[in-house]
């Protein structure tokens, strides 16, 4: 913390009421308060003293505390604003909102955008994963929490209030609205920084707990240096969970916050009551140990056990079931917000954290050893939250569907996990090692197996750090940025006036060449569309030069031409845009907006754009969805999309202030990710879709003419790709399909409407014939194998040889050989890209086929494995396979004591 002068923290309230500046003898932090205090008032300098003795005049529920705060601020000149989504899609530097100021960074704070109100009051849901390991165990940590706040943005020439009024409002709320003794709150001097901003702050503490933080943003970070901000910002944060706990004075914050849901779970699970004294002391010890920095749960348990006079094991036995219930409540509530605001569980981006919460929640249920489900918990809590968050109640079906899919997938993960852990354990045993942290992190990231599951599947020692899940979350906490297209230019180029949006029909114009660098030509003005927003660039000509690409670099638009561009330097040129290409791009871009709306209608509110590309002949849209699409779902999306085409809805594009656009259209505006600046260009299809978009579009949906979905692919976990065409390419695709149907009809000699039953009959007949053929092949292979066994002779016959009939014939021979209890077969056959070899043996042959193949194959540039009675390998050519077969025969004879020959 920078050393600040006393005057930096002295405010009018302190002067008027006689506050004094004192220094905590334990932590040396200066603080302001009425009267004399022994400490700064916050744990670990002071133990919690509010549990069982609330400093407030009345007990307030979670909902009542929120309402008291917001109504108080409304009475004091603030405008109450709605919450922002917990998924921060308007920013590209974070996935989730972690503080009430996140919605206003950077554009409002920089002064480029207006806030929704000024000053404003908000209760903003936030989510943080840094303390995930401590949730449920410390009495106070939450994954999802609400940060109540009042914010004031003091723009140049429009000052509202700053330190004096901020501290006054805080003190009035605590003392007059909540009834706190005026001498109790202490205002600790501190320093805050985050999101590129910083400034002095007060931490408001009493009873051992921090109730609020009052931040005064005065600096912004520029190249590692603090620079004074033009806009000074009041950024406060009042913990709704913490204040509710202080009000109710329960044994832990979980008991105060989760109230009815927790009581319901206790009844449903039959959880035994734990002595309040144990829980009270547990919370006090947790606060004293500052667990958010140490992460040492064991120390809490040891000290609490000593305080209450029981063994650590006895304490754990009592509190562990309750800790699991707390974790379950916390994760269920966080999931309601994360899933309800549009996250699909997956292995990447926002979805990674949703899956992390789901699997921790499922694990907590398993540890409780009950049949109760996570879906039941979430459903109950959604019903309880209906008045505060009706959007989740109306979206309950979608949330439940996502949870059910994830529960099923987790079961599949566990079924496969045992073999995975066994294989890794085998390798570790060979090296004399156990499961270290890195191995556990990889198992979780790659296979979804948490340490508790790994421990169930192996007897090897496991080293699990206290902050395991925080480490997991840290690996995925920041969005990966895609590398921008590199365009090498040697100097700053003059700006280009981009006039694309002025006239969507303009295809020819004249412009002056301002600069030429290599193939790149900068004009004073242009109607060419530079590549952006997933839409490819316009093509065309500058005089006789072909324009094959257009890119924007800062304020300059570069037109890349073929030929000696230097000849254009300083000239006025005739510019022509390739009209058919532009119009195809416009149709495909509008089709993308239409298809996205259709996918959301057909599949659910969890559908968001995860990527898009619009070319002239085809477009693709990546959407968030939990599974591959069925034919019925694709047909539904296509039908809904073309309904919008036929509806001939107007496609409007208008530039709006960011705050107005968000109020009018909501946060589905940000389908393509974050958009910089204080203004948004919104493309709206009336009653269907509205997005912040810089692309070119048709005037009406009917101008798209036709949308044909070509294919759908699940490109990664949680993301499905739709490929489609619009306009003439869509018509061409339909015509091609019709031609293929006609050709199939001609080949089969039946009318088109008889194709399906005829094909079904032919396929059925073909399957019967294939079965007969396979039966004949098996019989012939069996006869061949028996002949080779008889030829091999001896007590341990070893038939060996190349199988020219192919791999399937070879497998049938191997099966027949294995049916002879004392025979060992070595066969190989050519495959399309390599040579396959199998080693099989009868039940009485005392060899391990897999062990032999693994030892021999690498000597001949092959690889393989299998089971003790059947193993296979692949080799690059016949020569290597023959050599490997000879070596295998030699080793088998040696093991069985058979002389060569």
């Amino acid at each position: 913390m920078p050393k600040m002068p006393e005057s930096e923290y002295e405010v009018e309230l302190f002067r008027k009421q006689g506050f004094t500046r004192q220094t905590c003898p334990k932590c040396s932090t200066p603080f302001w308060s009425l009267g004399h205090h022994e400490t700064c008032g916050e744990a670990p300098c002071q133990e919690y003293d509010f549990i069982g003795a609330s400093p407030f005049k009345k007990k307030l529920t979670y909902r009542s505390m929120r309402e008291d705060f917001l109504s108080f601020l409304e009475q004091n000149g603030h405008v109450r604003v709605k919450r922002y989504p917990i998924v921060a899609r308007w920013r590209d530097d974070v996935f989730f909102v972690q503080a009430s100021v996140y919605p206003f960074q950077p554009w409002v704070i920089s002064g480029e955008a207006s806030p929704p109100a000024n000053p404003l009051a908000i209760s903003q849901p936030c989510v943080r994963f840094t303390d995930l390991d401590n949730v449920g165990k410390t009495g106070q940590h939450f994954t999802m929490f609400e940060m109540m706040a009042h914010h004031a943005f003091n723009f140049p020439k429009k000052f509202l209030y700053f330190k004096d009024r901020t501290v006054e409002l805080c003190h009035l709320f605590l003392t007059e609205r909540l009834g706190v003794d005026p001498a109790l709150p202490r205002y600790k001097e501190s320093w805050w920084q985050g999101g590129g901003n910083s400034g002095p702050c007060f931490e408001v503490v009493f009873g051992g707990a921090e109730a609020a933080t009052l931040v005064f943003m005065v600096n912004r970070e520029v190249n590692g240096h603090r620079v004074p901000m033009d806009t000074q910002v009041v950024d406060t944060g009042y913990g709704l969970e913490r204040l509710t706990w202080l009000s109710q004075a329960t044994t832990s914050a979980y008991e105060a916050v989760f109230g009815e849901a927790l009581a319901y779970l206790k009844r449903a699970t039959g959880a035994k009551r734990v002595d309040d004294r144990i829980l009270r002391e547990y919370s006090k010890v947790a606060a004293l140990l500052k667990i958010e920095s140490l992460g040492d749960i064991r120390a809490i348990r040891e000290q609490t056990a000593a305080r209450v006079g029981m063994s650590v094991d006895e304490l754990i036995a009592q509190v562990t079931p309750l800790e699991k219930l707390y974790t379950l409540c916390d994760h269920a509530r966080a999931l309601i917000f994360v899933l309800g605001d549009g996250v699909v569980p997956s292995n990447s981006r926002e979805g990674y954290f949703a899956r992390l919460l789901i699997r921790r929640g499922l694990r907590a249920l398993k540890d409780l050893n009950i049949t109760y489900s996570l879906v039941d918990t979430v459903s109950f809590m959604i019903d309880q939250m209906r008045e505060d968050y009706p959007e989740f109640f109306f979206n309950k079906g979608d949330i439940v569907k996502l949870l059910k899919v994830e529960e099923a997938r987790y079961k599949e993960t566990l079924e496969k996990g045992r073999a995975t852990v066994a294989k890794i354990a085998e390798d570790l045993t060979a090296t004399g090692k156990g499961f270290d942290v890195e191995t556990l992190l990889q198992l979780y990231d790659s296979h979804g197996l948490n340490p508790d599951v790994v421990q169930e599947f192996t007897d090897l020692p496991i080293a699990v750090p206290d902050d395991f899940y925080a480490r997991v979350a840290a690996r995925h906490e920041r969005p990966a940025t895609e590398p921008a297209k590199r365009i090498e230019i040697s100097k700053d180029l003059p700006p280009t006036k981009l006039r694309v949006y002025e006239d969507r029909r303009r295809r020819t114009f004249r412009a002056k060449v301002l600069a030429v660098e290599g193939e790149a030509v900068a004009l004073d003005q242009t109607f060419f569309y530079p590549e952006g927003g997933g839409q490819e660039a316009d093509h065309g000509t500058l005089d006789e030069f072909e324009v094959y690409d257009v890119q924007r670099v800062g304020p300059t638009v570069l037109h890349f031409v073929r030929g000696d561009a230097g000849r254009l330097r300083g000239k006025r040129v005739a510019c022509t845009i390739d009209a058919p290409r532009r119009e195809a791009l416009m149709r495909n871009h509008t089709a993308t907006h239409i298809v996205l709306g259709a996918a959301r209608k057909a599949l659910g509110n969890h559908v968001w754009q995860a990527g898009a590309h619009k070319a002239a002949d085809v477009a693709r849209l990546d959407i968030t969805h939990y599974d591959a699409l069925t034919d019925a779902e694709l047909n539904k999306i296509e039908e809904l999309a073309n309904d919008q085409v036929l509806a001939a809805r107007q496609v409007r594009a208008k530039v709006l202030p960011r705050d107005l656009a968000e109020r009018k259209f909501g946060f589905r505006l940000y389908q393509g990710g974050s958009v910089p600046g204080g203004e948004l260009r919104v493309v709206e299809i009336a009653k269907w879709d509205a997005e912040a978009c810089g692309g070119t579009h048709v005037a009406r949906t009917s101008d798209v003419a036709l949308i044909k979905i070509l294919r759908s692919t699940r490109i990664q976990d949680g993301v499905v790709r739709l490929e489609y065409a619009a306009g003439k390419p869509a018509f061409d695709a339909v015509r091609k399909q019709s031609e293929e149907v006609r050709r199939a009809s001609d080949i089969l000699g039946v009318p088109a409407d008889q194709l399906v039953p005829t094909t079904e009959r032919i396929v059925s007949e073909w399957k019967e014939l294939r079965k007969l053929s396979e039966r004949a092949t098996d019989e012939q292979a069996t006869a061949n194998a028996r002949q080779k066994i008889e030829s091999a002779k001896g007590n341990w016959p070893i038939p060996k040889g190349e199988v020219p009939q192919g791999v399937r014939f070879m497998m049938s021979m191997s099966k027949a050989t294995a049916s002879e209890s004392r025979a060992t077969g070595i066969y190989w056959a050519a495959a399309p890209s390599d040579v396959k070899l199998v080693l099989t043996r009868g039940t009485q042959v005392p060899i391990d086929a897999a062990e032999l193949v693994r030892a021999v194959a690498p000597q001949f540039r092959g690889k393989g494995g299998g089971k003790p009675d059947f193993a296979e390998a692949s080799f690059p050519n016949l020569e290597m396979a023959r050599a490997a077969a000879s070596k295998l025969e030699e080793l088998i004879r040696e093991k069985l004591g058979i002389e060569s020959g």
Side-chain angles (χ1 to χ4, degrees):
M1 166 182 166
K3 190 172 182 179
M4 304 292 289
E6 179 179 334
S7 60
E8 189 72 28
Y9 290 96
E10 189 173 11
V11 297
E12 188 65 24
L13 178 81
F14 298 166
R15 287 190 289 269
K16 278 186 176 180
Q17 297 196 11
F19 279 63
T20 58
R21 188 176 190 255
Q22 303 165 47
T23 301
C24 179
K26 295 188 177 181
C27 67
S28 302
T29 301
F31 65 90
W32 297 80
S33 187
L34 288 170
H36 177 73
H37 295 282
E38 294 297 325
T39 71
C40 64
E42 183 179 15
C45 300
Q46 174 186 317
E47 191 170 277
Y48 285 163
D49 62 15
F50 67 86
I51 298 178
S54 173
F56 298 163
K57 66 182 177 183
K58 57 184 177 181
K59 287 186 177 183
L60 294 173
T61 64
Y62 191 73
R63 187 163 188 261
S64 299
M65 180 63 75
R66 183 199 296 118
E67 183 55 34
D68 256 30
F69 178 83
L70 295 174
S71 60
F72 167 80
L73 286 165
E74 283 181 311
Q75 293 163 14
N76 282 275
H78 293 68
V79 176
R80 183 191 304 214
V81 301
K82 291 182 179 179
R83 75 170 182 102
Y84 282 68
I86 209 166
V87 187
R89 288 189 170 89
W90 58 91
R91 294 179 58 164
D92 59 8
D93 58 334
V94 293
F95 290 127
F96 299 103
V97 171
Q98 298 180 36
S100 62
V101 76
Y102 270 43
F104 313 113
Q105 290 176 313
W107 310 115
V108 173
I109 289 174
S110 70
E112 294 175 73
S114 299
N118 197 17
L120 62 84
I122 191 171
S123 187
Q124 175 59 42
C126 305
V127 64
R128 296 178 186 172
F129 294 89
T130 52
D131 294 318
L132 201 56
D133 301 272
N134 297 329
V135 169
K137 298 175 181 175
T138 63
Q140 57 186 306
H141 284 99
F142 293 87
T143 308
M144 178 265 152
F145 57 95
E146 282 193 45
M147 184 177 286
M148 302 188 299
H150 53 100
H151 295 292
F153 305 94
N154 295 295
F155 298 114
K157 299 181 182 179
K158 192 177 181 182
F159 181 84
L160 298 174
Y161 68 82
F162 207 47
K163 296 178 187 177
D164 291 341
R165 180 61 172 160
T166 302
V167 174
E168 181 186 22
L169 285 168
C170 178
H171 205 65
L172 284 172
F173 174 65
L174 293 175
T175 57
E176 294 188 5
R177 182 57 71 100
L178 298 182
V180 175
D181 181 346
L184 192 58
R186 275 149 274 189
Y187 294 83
K188 288 174 61 178
E189 296 178 7
S190 189
W191 184 263
W192 178 91
Q193 60 186 38
N197 306 113
S198 61
C201 76
F202 286 114
E203 294 171 359
V204 187
V205 299
F206 50 89
E210 181 181 334
T213 304
L214 314 177
V215 175
F216 309 103
M217 287 189 195
V218 293
N219 302 316
R220 59 190 176 90
E221 301 292 322
V222 179
N223 298 323
H225 300 284
R226 290 195 181 103
V227 177
M229 294 167 59
D230 295 328
T231 301
Q232 294 191 331
V233 179
V234 172
D235 170 25
T236 66
Y238 295 71
L240 176 53
E241 285 75 12
R242 183 64 57 84
L243 286 168
T244 304
W245 186 18
L246 282 162
S247 170
Q248 295 190 24
T250 50
T251 54
S252 75
Y254 309 124
E255 296 284 344
V257 170
F258 295 129
E260 291 184 34
L262 185 59
Y264 172 70
L265 274 172
K266 286 178 180 177
R267 291 192 301 271
T269 60
K272 293 180 181 178
R273 177 176 172 79
V274 180
D275 189 326
D276 281 356
R277 177 169 167 262
I278 294 173
L279 298 176
R280 182 170 62 247
E281 296 304 321
Y282 200 116
S283 291
K284 288 181 179 181
V285 171
L288 290 174
L289 288 180
K290 278 290 188 184
I291 207 68
E292 57 264 31
S293 59
L294 296 177
D296 195 349
I297 303 301
R298 288 184 296 275
I300 298 179
R301 290 169 172 168
E302 290 167 2
Q303 292 192 31
T304 303
R307 283 193 179 200
V308 299
M310 64 170 55
S311 71
V312 174
D313 288 343
E314 287 176 318
L315 178 76
I316 291 173
Q318 286 205 38
V319 301
T320 296
L322 198 54
E323 289 174 352
K324 301 298 181 185
L325 289 180
Y326 293 155
T327 300
L328 185 59
C329 283
D330 171 271
H331 288 11
R333 184 176 67 151
L335 282 166
I336 291 170
F337 281 87
V338 171
L339 301 181
D341 280 347
V343 173
V344 174
S346 69
N347 285 334
S348 62
R349 293 184 58 83
E350 303 96 328
Y352 185 90
F353 296 93
R355 179 165 288 170
L356 177 63
L357 287 173
I358 290 170
R359 294 192 172 181
R360 276 179 56 87
L362 291 171
R363 184 67 200 184
L365 280 167
K366 183 180 185 302
D367 291 341
L368 287 165
N369 195 28
I370 56 175
T371 56
Y372 199 70
S373 75
L374 185 58
V375 168
D376 293 333
T377 309
V378 168
S379 295
F380 181 82
M381 294 185 81
I382 289 174
D383 293 341
Q384 294 296 305
M385 296 161 57
R386 181 177 182 177
E387 287 190 58
D388 294 327
Y389 299 104
E391 64 269 31
F392 298 144
F393 182 81
F394 294 118
N395 197 26
K396 183 176 176 180
D398 211 33
I399 295 171
V400 165
K401 188 192 302 179
L402 290 169
L403 285 171
K404 286 182 176 178
V405 168
E406 278 300 297
E407 285 199 34
R409 287 195 176 146
Y410 185 51
K411 288 177 182 176
E412 292 174 7
T413 295
L414 294 180
E415 288 169 4
K416 296 175 184 175
R418 189 177 296 276
T420 301
V421 172
K423 178 66 175 68
I424 293 174
E426 182 182 336
D427 296 339
L428 290 172
T429 302
T431 58
K433 297 178 181 177
F435 283 83
D436 60 14
V437 175
E438 188 57 35
T439 303
L440 292 174
L441 287 169
Q442 288 293 337
L443 271 170
Y444 187 86
D445 259 0
S446 302
H447 302 281
L449 300 171
N450 63 37
D452 291 338
V453 171
V454 175
Q455 186 67 81
E456 285 181 10
F457 292 164
T458 182
D459 294 327
L460 287 181
I462 290 181
V464 185
D466 292 333
D467 61 346
F468 176 81
Y469 287 101
R471 295 194 195 190
V472 166
R475 290 184 165 204
H476 301 266
E477 65 182 352
R478 296 287 174 185
T481 54
E482 293 185 9
K485 195 170 185 177
R486 288 185 61 84
I487 300 173
E488 300 291 343
I489 52 174
S490 61
K491 59 185 180 298
D492 290 338
L493 297 175
T496 304
K497 185 175 183 181
L498 184 61
R499 304 185 65 187
V500 174
Y501 307 124
E502 295 178 19
D503 185 351
R504 74 174 85 198
R505 293 180 293 274
R506 190 75 172 267
R507 299 294 179 265
T508 61
F509 62 97
R510 295 188 67 81
K512 183 178 179 180
V513 175
L514 300 180
V516 176
E517 182 160 332
E519 294 185 328
V521 178
L523 304 176
D524 64 338
Q525 63 170 351
T526 188
F527 286 86
F528 277 87
Y529 179 80
E531 181 181 7
Q535 180 176 326
E536 292 185 358
D538 282 337
H539 293 174
T541 58
L542 301 184
D543 282 352
E544 74 277 15
F545 289 86
E546 177 193 351
V547 177
Y548 67 88
D549 193 14
V550 185
Q551 296 290 328
R552 191 170 189 169
V553 181
T556 306
V557 178
L558 299 177
H559 306 71
F560 291 84
V561 302
R562 302 192 193 281
D564 181 11
R567 288 162 47 198
L568 296 173
R569 193 174 278 110
K571 292 177 64 177
R572 284 190 67 78
V573 291
C575 309
T576 303
I577 297 169
D578 181 337
R581 175 181 171 83
R582 161 68 78 83
E583 282 140 24
L585 288 167
M586 290 166 65
R587 281 191 290 270
N588 272 338
H589 203 144
T590 303
T592 298
H593 289 219
I594 295 171
V595 170
L596 178 59
R600 187 163 56 246
K601 293 277 186 186
L603 304 175
N605 287 324
H606 61 273
V607 170
W608 283 74
Q609 179 177 311
H613 184 80
K614 303 97 182 179
D617 56 344
V618 70
R620 69 170 184 262
L621 171 68
D622 298 338
I623 58 171
T624 54
H625 188 58
Y626 49 80
D627 208 351
L629 300 184
T630 64
D631 289 342
E633 287 168 335
L634 284 173
N635 290 338
K636 184 65 175 175
I637 294 170
E638 187 175 87
E639 178 185 347
L640 289 168
N642 282 296
D643 283 347
Q644 292 305 304
V645 173
L646 293 171
R649 297 193 188 280
Q650 188 174 354
V651 182
R652 301 186 185 95
K654 61 178 76 174
V655 177
L656 297 172
R658 181 183 285 267
D659 63 310
L660 176 59
E662 290 177 347
R663 279 202 304 274
K664 185 174 182 180
F665 298 108
F667 292 88
R668 286 208 177 264
L669 282 170
Y670 301 107
Q671 293 293 338
S674 65
V675 180
E679 293 184 325
L680 302 178
R681 180 176 183 262
V682 178
V683 174
E684 179 192 7
I685 299 173
K687 300 179 181 178
W688 190 254
D689 183 75
E691 301 178 30
C693 176
T696 59
H697 291 268
V698 297
R700 288 189 172 276
T701 57
S702 53
D703 295 337
V704 171
L706 174 68
I707 295 173
K708 178 61 184 172
I709 295 180
L710 306 174
R711 65 190 63 85
S712 169
T713 314
R714 192 176 180 214
I715 61 169
Q716 68 182 64
D717 189 27
V719 178
V720 174
R721 172 166 293 170
L722 293 166
E723 293 180 67
Y724 46 92
K728 188 175 183 303
F731 173 75
D732 291 342
V734 172
R735 184 171 58 186
K736 183 181 177 184
Q737 286 184 356
S738 297
E739 289 175 351
E740 288 172 349
V741 168
R742 182 185 56 76
R743 286 184 59 208
S745 296
D746 291 344
I747 291 169
L748 295 177
V750 296
D753 61 356
Q754 292 299 308
L755 266 179
V756 172
T758 302
T759 303
E760 287 174 342
R761 176 176 55 79
I762 291 172
V763 169
S764 176
E765 292 172 356
W766 170 74
K767 286 180 178 178
E768 286 300 318
L769 290 172
R770 188 176 64 176
K771 286 180 183 177
L772 291 172
S773 175
E774 288 174 352
R775 193 177 303 140
T777 298
D778 289 343
E779 290 173 357
Q780 185 182 353
T782 299
N784 281 19
R786 285 178 178 156
Q787 185 179 358
K788 281 186 171 290
I789 292 169
E790 290 173 5
S791 300
K793 298 178 182 179
N795 288 332
W796 304 100
I798 308 176
K800 182 184 78 168
E802 184 177 336
V803 182
Q805 295 94 330
V807 173
R808 193 187 180 288
F809 198 92
M810 175 180 69
M811 292 300 181
S812 295
M813 287 182 65
S814 299
K815 186 178 179 181
T817 302
S819 67
E820 300 290 332
S821 62
R822 297 176 67 84
T824 305
I826 307 172
Y827 306 118
W828 61 95
S833 59
D834 56 11
V835 178
K836 303 293 184 187
L837 178 146
V838 295
L839 171 61
T840 185
R841 52 96 167 156
T843 54
Q844 294 184 29
V845 183
I847 64 167
D848 187 321
E851 182 182 298
L852 286 171
V853 165
R854 279 197 295 267
V856 170
Q859 300 175 32
F860 302 94
R861 293 167 52 199
K863 56 183 179 180
K867 298 178 180 178
D869 60 343
F870 178 87
E872 56 185 320
S874 59
F875 297 91
N877 52 52
L878 284 168
E879 182 182 353
M880 292 297 175
R882 291 190 192 105
S886 296
K887 182 64 177 177
L888 285 168
E889 182 183 12
E890 178 186 327
L891 291 174
I892 293 166
R893 287 182 177 278
E894 184 179 319
K895 285 182 176 290
L896 298 178
I898 307 170
E899 292 184 8
S900 297

